[in-house]
Amino acid sequence: MEVESPNPIMNNELVPIEDTQSMETGMQLDLLEPEANHLVELTPSIVEPQPTKRRKKKSVVWEHFTIETVGAGCRRAYCKQCKQSFAYSTGNKVAGTSHLKRHIAKGTCPVVLRNQSTPYNAPPKMSSFTDTPKRRYRTAAVPYLTFDADRCRHEIARMIIMHDYPLHMVEHPGFMAFVQNLQPRFDMVSFNTVQGDCVATYLREKASIQRVIEGVPGRIFLTLDLWPSSRTVGYMFVSGQFIDSEWKMHRKLLNVIMEPYPESATAFSHSVAACLSDWNMDGKLFSVTINQPLNDAATDNMRALLSVKNPLVLDGQLLVGNCLARSLSRIFVDAVISVDGLVKMIRDSVKYVKTSESREEKFVELKQQLQVPSSKTLAIDDQTRWNTTYEMLLAAWELKEVFSCLDTMDPDYKDTPTEENWKQVEILCTYLKPLFDTANLLTTAGSPTTNTFFHEAWKIQLELARAASSKDPFVSTLTKSMQENFDKYWKSSCFILAIAVVMDPRFKLKLVEFSFSKIYGDNSASYVKIVDDGIHELFHEYIALPRPLTPAHTDVVNDQSAKPKDPQGIGSNGLGLTDFDVYMMETTSQLSKPELDQYLEESLLPRVHEFDVVGWWKVNRMKYPTLSKMACDILSIPVCTVPAASVFDTVRKEMDSYRCSLRPETVEALICAKDWLQAETVEAPVAPVKVEGPM
């Protein structure tokens, strides 16, 4: 333990080493260094004590310690946070403050370690320990803090991007006063400066994303989500989805493009062309998913563009698809509108209970008396989020017995739903549940592969078709519009979903044959043939691709480049049969069936609950070098254009008026950079392969 001075008056002062001689002579110095904003007082080491006038301790240490007498002539310093005690004085011997500074500044206090945001680690508290450019102080145990104006500007830009703050906040008087009091040496930036800083952050992040995209071994998939605005211009959100060389799925927002005429037939094709040009992705595009149905002119423009940019993908059959989330939202809204009176009745009953604490207590008490087993709790729905409306209806239906008896305890409750009303609510929830379950899949952290949604889609299509022909007038009226709306999605997307499920070794073409027989009856064979022919045609196109795009070839090349060359052609078996191995591979591939036919003819894998289909293809990429690449691309086709947080929205997102006032380049920089900065917490690694049976 370092003892700075036997004099109690000196135990809280910082003493320059080179000035110790002047102190011995009793000289008193007062040093002021304006450039470092530090005032250091030096007191002679030999001073007559004045017990009647006690100097106030100035060291910042005493903000964190208290001094207590523990015995005759013995006092100790106690940490205010962890209550640990330290030596302070024993008789005439006074301990220094270095050990106290180390306890606070170096983070050895256990409370400080648990809470790094405590004031002990904050720069203002440690400013008294800061070293100056001209003198060295005996505080080597305390970290030196430096002010970095460029770093502050960078953090302000990141703060604005991450939290959607307006750029003009840097010119708001309140924010300027806050920053000035926090660090007077910081020259506050202007609107133009912080706008440039945000764009610079965007460009730095874009460069790293560009390198990732350039290294993608397979195809890239685009989703287009058009946001309207009050200024009649639209903003196209273009996202890209792809699988990297590690077989991990990525989804990145690539562009936010202002479209002056969003309702035109060329708006979507223009955005796709701009994205492909910006990211140099010509020839890599596989499919496009759009958040709304396109008219014939817009569809023709899109297919014409993409057939030129990438003509090898089934002549455009996989290049246009509808957003599943938006389709489900439209179906739900139409269903609720068709029974609007019923939904309003349930909503009013729930609102009656939830808007009064006393009524809610009566409701809970009655539920306990009736011993209703439901664990649901009532909640008023948010009509901009359709999942909340479904959950409100389901909870009310499970608690219908309580509502039916509520008027006995509360005579003010008069609009009790009838038994017929509750039966209709049950029917409504029955046909909304498949929509809710399917939409929930879109909100999972690791987005399911495309094959998953074939199971959901064909069951919804079949159930709604059956219900629409029901003899019950309420059921048929409710589900007829739902079936018509979903049929539009099914017709535009069933081909993509079907070829995706063929790439699932648990189902292959068998599930397509089974589901189509249920939906199309005697005409199912012709629809199955369309899927079968499409897969074979696509496979032949993949065979024609350059070999470096196949994962097996890439792995072999990498392995060969990593190993030392064998000039004598002697393989690992030492027999010099490398050429024979190549010959066997070539002749075997010529005599055997194509990979696709071999895969389709093999028996199905057992169905297990947890199955990573992409991981299965990764494991089997050597057995199916071309087919595994095709399967990887097909299984990555996005079925949704919106992020997980917007899956249940009933109102289309609209660009706010503030961002519309900014330059389009600035809007793109702010929105894209936020998506990229948050990507690390969103992306989830691919789960390990969990299968049963032979591979």
Side-chain angles (χ1 to χ4, degrees):
M1 182 179 301
E2 181 181 350
V3 179
E4 293 184 348
S5 171
N7 194 329
I9 302 178
M10 293 295 299
N11 63 3
N12 64 339
E13 297 172 352
L14 306 178
V15 184
I17 296 174
E18 59 264 42
D19 289 352
T20 54
Q21 184 176 359
S22 61
M23 289 182 57
E24 293 175 357
T25 62
M27 181 182 296
Q28 181 172 346
L29 300 178
D30 187 21
L31 298 180
L32 177 63
E33 294 181 346
E35 65 278 1
N37 290 328
H38 290 297
L39 180 63
V40 183
E41 294 182 0
L42 304 180
T43 309
S45 58
I46 303 175
V47 180
E48 290 296 329
Q50 300 178 12
T52 58
K53 188 176 182 181
R54 198 176 192 83
R55 277 189 58 183
K56 181 180 179 181
K57 293 181 175 58
K58 295 182 179 180
S59 175
V60 71
V61 167
W62 304 116
E63 297 181 16
H64 314 303
F65 288 86
T66 59
I67 300 174
E68 298 182 11
T69 301
V70 296
C74 181
R75 293 188 296 171
R76 296 185 66 82
Y78 286 83
C79 177
K80 294 180 180 179
Q81 293 296 317
C82 66
K83 307 305 180 183
Q84 186 176 349
S85 67
F86 298 84
Y88 176 68
S89 67
T90 304
N92 294 328
K93 295 182 179 181
V94 179
T97 59
S98 297
H99 61 303
L100 305 182
K101 295 173 185 176
R102 284 193 294 270
H103 180 70
I104 297 299
K106 296 193 72 175
T108 57
C109 177
V111 178
V112 174
L113 290 175
R114 287 195 300 270
N115 183 10
Q116 293 299 323
S117 62
T118 56
Y120 309 112
N121 290 337
K125 293 295 183 183
M126 304 308 301
S127 60
S128 297
F129 302 149
T130 306
D131 194 15
T132 64
K134 296 182 179 180
R135 284 177 170 81
R136 296 178 296 109
Y137 293 91
R138 288 183 292 185
T139 56
V142 182
Y144 298 144
L145 301 179
T146 59
F147 169 66
D148 188 343
D150 291 337
R151 181 66 181 176
C152 291
R153 285 177 50 181
H154 174 70
E155 291 301 327
I156 288 178
R158 284 177 58 92
M159 174 188 70
I160 289 175
I161 291 171
M162 292 291 291
H163 303 290
D164 296 325
Y165 294 144
L167 293 172
H168 288 87
M169 72 175 293
V170 297
E171 296 179 347
H172 293 171
F175 184 75
M176 294 174 66
F178 167 74
V179 174
Q180 185 64 24
N181 281 278
L182 190 66
Q183 178 49 266
R185 297 167 59 193
F186 180 67
D187 294 330
M188 197 59 208
V189 295
S190 64
F191 168 84
N192 290 331
T193 301
V194 77
Q195 180 178 232
D197 291 344
C198 290
V199 173
T201 301
Y202 158 77
L203 293 176
R204 284 193 299 269
E205 296 295 328
K206 183 177 181 179
S208 62
I209 301 296
Q210 181 73 63
R211 290 191 294 270
V212 173
I213 291 179
E214 290 174 353
V216 171
R219 302 299 182 92
I220 294 176
F221 317 87
L222 296 183
T223 64
L224 305 181
D225 191 21
L226 180 61
W227 287 24
S229 72
S230 59
R231 301 195 177 189
T232 70
V233 298
Y235 290 82
M236 193 75 73
F237 285 62
V238 185
S239 299
Q241 186 164 302
F242 54 88
I243 290 182
D244 63 13
S245 58
E246 301 294 328
W247 293 70
K248 295 181 180 180
M249 184 84 72
H250 297 266
R251 183 183 177 92
K252 304 287 185 183
L253 179 62
L254 301 180
N255 295 98
V256 178
I257 302 170
M258 188 190 75
E259 290 293 341
Y261 306 99
E263 304 300 329
S264 67
T266 59
F268 286 90
S269 58
H270 169 263
S271 295
V272 171
C275 178
L276 295 179
S277 175
D278 186 26
W279 293 91
N280 192 25
M281 294 191 302
D282 288 351
K284 282 194 170 185
L285 183 61
F286 189 85
S287 70
V288 175
T289 305
I290 301 174
N291 72 329
Q292 62 188 45
L294 299 182
N295 55 38
D296 293 339
T299 301
D300 292 341
N301 286 334
M302 181 72 77
R303 293 191 188 280
L305 167 69
L306 298 176
S307 63
V308 173
K309 296 292 185 181
N310 191 17
L312 295 179
V313 186
L314 294 183
D315 195 24
Q317 294 183 60
L318 300 180
L319 295 177
V320 178
N322 290 331
C323 174
L324 178 57
R326 296 279 64 82
S327 298
L328 295 176
S329 294
R330 285 191 293 267
I331 295 170
F332 179 89
V333 171
D334 289 346
V336 170
I337 290 177
S338 66
V339 289
D340 184 59
L342 176 66
V343 175
K344 185 179 183 302
M345 179 187 300
I346 303 302
R347 182 181 293 119
D348 289 342
S349 294
V350 174
K351 189 185 300 183
Y352 179 84
V353 174
K354 295 296 293 182
T355 53
S356 170
E357 185 175 350
S358 60
R359 290 196 290 263
E360 188 170 6
E361 291 176 355
K362 291 180 181 179
F363 189 88
V364 173
E365 180 183 350
L366 184 58
K367 175 187 173 183
Q368 295 174 348
Q369 292 178 1
L370 296 174
Q371 297 182 351
V372 177
S374 174
S375 60
K376 300 286 186 181
T377 57
L378 295 178
I380 304 174
D381 65 327
D382 176 2
Q383 297 185 53
T384 65
R385 303 273 298 170
W386 66 266
N387 60 313
T388 64
T389 302
Y390 168 76
E391 290 167 346
M392 178 192 70
L393 293 171
L394 184 61
W397 177 77
E398 290 192 10
L399 298 170
K400 61 182 182 295
E401 296 180 26
V402 185
F403 279 106
S404 300
C405 300
L406 185 59
D407 55 355
T408 60
M409 295 185 63
D410 188 350
D412 294 332
Y413 178 63
K414 303 182 183 301
D415 299 326
T416 307
T418 63
E419 190 64 30
E420 181 66 21
N421 294 144
W422 288 119
K423 182 179 179 180
Q424 292 174 349
V425 172
E426 180 183 6
I427 294 172
L428 178 60
C429 290
T430 299
Y431 291 104
L432 292 181
K433 186 179 187 302
L435 308 183
F436 176 78
D437 292 341
T438 303
N440 255 336
L441 288 175
L442 297 171
T443 64
T444 55
S447 181
T449 48
T450 314
N451 61 299
T452 304
F453 297 98
F454 180 81
H455 305 275
E456 308 300 323
W458 81 265
K459 289 186 291 185
I460 293 175
Q461 174 72 6
L462 181 61
E463 290 302 320
L464 291 180
R466 289 176 175 175
S469 58
S470 172
K471 295 181 180 180
D472 188 326
F474 179 80
V475 173
S476 60
T477 302
L478 170 68
T479 57
K480 184 177 181 180
S481 62
M482 296 174 65
Q483 193 273 334
E484 291 175 353
N485 285 329
F486 193 80
D487 190 56
K488 296 177 183 178
Y489 174 80
W490 174 255
K491 288 180 178 179
S492 66
S493 304
C494 69
F495 179 72
I496 293 177
L497 299 178
I499 65 171
V501 83
V502 173
M503 295 296 99
D504 189 334
R506 299 171 297 172
F507 301 103
K508 303 182 181 179
L509 266 174
K510 294 299 182 181
L511 183 60
V512 176
E513 295 170 355
F514 172 77
S515 58
F516 280 13
S517 66
K518 298 288 186 180
I519 296 173
Y520 299 113
D522 296 337
N523 299 324
S524 62
S526 60
Y527 290 96
V528 173
K529 187 176 186 303
I530 293 175
V531 176
D532 192 13
D533 292 346
I535 291 176
H536 280 83
E537 182 181 348
L538 185 61
F539 177 70
H540 290 309
E541 292 177 356
Y542 267 79
I543 293 177
L545 291 175
R547 287 197 67 188
L549 286 179
T550 62
H553 178 77
T554 303
D555 294 341
V556 171
V557 172
N558 292 337
D559 291 342
Q560 290 177 351
S561 62
K563 297 178 181 178
K565 295 183 178 179
D566 186 1
Q568 299 179 354
I570 300 177
S572 59
N573 55 12
L575 300 178
L577 299 178
T578 303
D579 293 340
F580 175 72
D581 293 337
V582 174
Y583 168 77
M584 287 298 298
M585 291 177 62
E586 292 177 350
T587 55
T588 303
S589 62
Q590 293 174 359
L591 297 175
S592 63
K593 294 182 179 180
E595 294 175 32
L596 178 58
D597 293 336
Q598 179 184 347
Y599 165 75
L600 293 176
E601 292 177 4
E602 289 179 352
S603 59
L604 303 180
L605 287 183
R607 294 194 302 275
V608 293
H609 179 65
E610 295 183 4
F611 181 76
D612 178 16
V613 63
V614 175
W616 187 89
W617 282 105
K618 178 182 179 181
V619 171
N620 290 273
R621 67 188 183 277
M622 301 301 294
K623 182 179 180 180
Y624 305 110
T626 302
L627 187 60
S628 63
K629 184 60 201 169
M630 187 181 88
C632 184
D633 287 341
I634 291 175
L635 294 169
S636 305
I637 298 175
V639 299
C640 180
T641 66
V642 298
S646 302
V647 166
F648 291 103
D649 289 351
T650 58
V651 180
R652 290 180 62 183
K653 294 290 186 180
E654 182 173 322
M655 190 65 72
D656 58 84
S657 58
Y658 173 75
R659 287 190 171 174
C660 289
S661 67
L662 302 175
R663 295 184 304 174
E665 297 82 3
T666 303
V667 174
E668 182 177 53
L670 293 172
I671 298 176
C672 289
K674 179 182 179 181
D675 178 79
W676 301 338
L677 292 173
Q678 293 178 337
E680 291 79 6
T681 59
V682 174
E683 292 176 357
V686 176
V689 182
K690 298 179 180 179
V691 296
E692 295 179 1
M695 294 189 183

